[in-house]
Amino acid sequence: MPIDQPPPTVIACPDCDLLNRLPAEATTVTLLCGRCGAVLARHKPDSIERSLALTLTALILFVVSNSFPFLAMKTGGFVQETTLLTGIRELWKQDMQGLSCLVLLTCVLVPGLQMIGLLYILAPLQWGRRPAAHAARVFRLVQEVAPWGMMEVFMMGILVALVKLGHMATIVPGVSVFSFGGLIFVMAAAFSTLDPPLLWQRLDLRR
Ligand SMILES: [Zn+2]
């Protein structure tokens, strides 16, 4: 092979492990495994632009979710408001340090890290610049921490608590509950519009 040509990109089939060569240029078709026909890469139009827009939206919802009251509990004439972060602090104070750390990790730190990581990778690519320093490492980290983002599990827990506590006190959902609910969908959309093979191809230019 001539020295000035880039090495062919090879991808292992997720179903049968056959190593398939990808075309050197980005394509607009769905690539299938040569042996078993499994989908190797699916073209997603404007994936960087869309993922960036959705990640920015998610970041705004994330800030709102952490700034406004999550729930207000009314019992008699007494009203108690909590935000996501004060709720985590209350768990810590009530000797539930493990649970408090788990909620902080899965609902605040990991989603925050994912959003900032995606912005760091996508913004330079969108505005036609070279990929940011260590962008490939950041993208790998974003993918590796993904299983620890469990906002939807937390939301499910809140909904169950709302039903269970409904007869003991009046529970008023705050702005944060709605923005948090929206955040779950927007984050899922940001990840589903991402095109990892395309991103790796673009990030590879720096190496
Ligand atoms: Zn295959």
Side-chain angles (χ1 to χ4, degrees):
M1 186 195 302
I3 292 171
D4 57 350
Q5 271 193 13
T9 310
V10 173
I11 187 169
C13 170
D15 286 357
C16 74
D17 278 346
L18 176 73
L19 294 177
N20 292 268
R21 278 187 179 202
L22 293 181
E25 295 297 318
T27 63
T28 55
V29 293
T30 300
L31 300 172
L32 302 178
C33 170
R35 181 159 61 194
C36 73
V39 174
L40 298 175
R42 199 184 292 278
H43 173 66
K44 295 175 182 174
D46 306 323
S47 76
I48 290 176
E49 198 174 11
R50 287 181 191 199
S51 300
L52 181 61
L54 287 164
T55 308
L56 278 172
T57 312
L59 196 64
I60 294 167
L61 290 171
F62 184 70
V63 171
V64 172
S65 302
N66 283 291
S67 311
F68 287 88
F70 203 82
L71 292 175
M73 194 186 275
K74 286 184 191 170
T75 38
F78 186 69
V79 180
Q80 194 181 11
E81 274 189 343
T82 54
T83 65
L84 194 54
L85 292 175
T86 55
I88 291 169
R89 203 172 59 210
E90 281 304 314
L91 281 176
W92 184 275
K93 278 189 194 164
Q94 289 171 19
D95 279 340
M96 288 187 265
Q97 284 89 353
L99 189 60
S100 163
C101 289
L102 202 61
V103 176
L104 182 68
L105 179 77
T106 57
C107 297
V108 181
L109 296 182
V110 167
L113 181 75
Q114 286 180 303
M115 279 173 247
I116 292 168
L118 282 182
L119 284 182
Y120 181 77
I121 299 160
L122 296 172
L125 297 181
Q126 169 62 22
W127 286 299
R129 304 222 184 113
R130 285 173 66 82
H134 308 296
R137 253 184 233 173
V138 173
F139 186 41
R140 195 168 291 128
L141 180 71
V142 165
Q143 288 184 312
E144 279 172 4
V145 299
W148 286 96
M150 298 184 196
M151 293 187 294
E152 54 285 341
V153 178
F154 179 73
M155 196 67 189
M156 192 62 86
I158 292 291
L159 292 177
V160 171
L162 277 180
V163 173
K164 291 262 181 195
L165 291 175
H167 63 279
M168 288 167 60
T170 310
I171 311 281
V172 183
V175 173
S176 176
V177 169
F178 298 104
S179 61
F180 198 78
L183 174 60
I184 292 169
F185 287 102
V186 174
M187 273 295 276
F191 273 98
S192 74
T193 46
L194 264 188
D195 187 349
L198 172 78
L199 265 189
W200 283 122
Q201 218 167 19
R202 297 282 302 271
L203 296 179
D204 208 34
L205 295 175
R206 190 186 171 90
R207 278 187 238 156

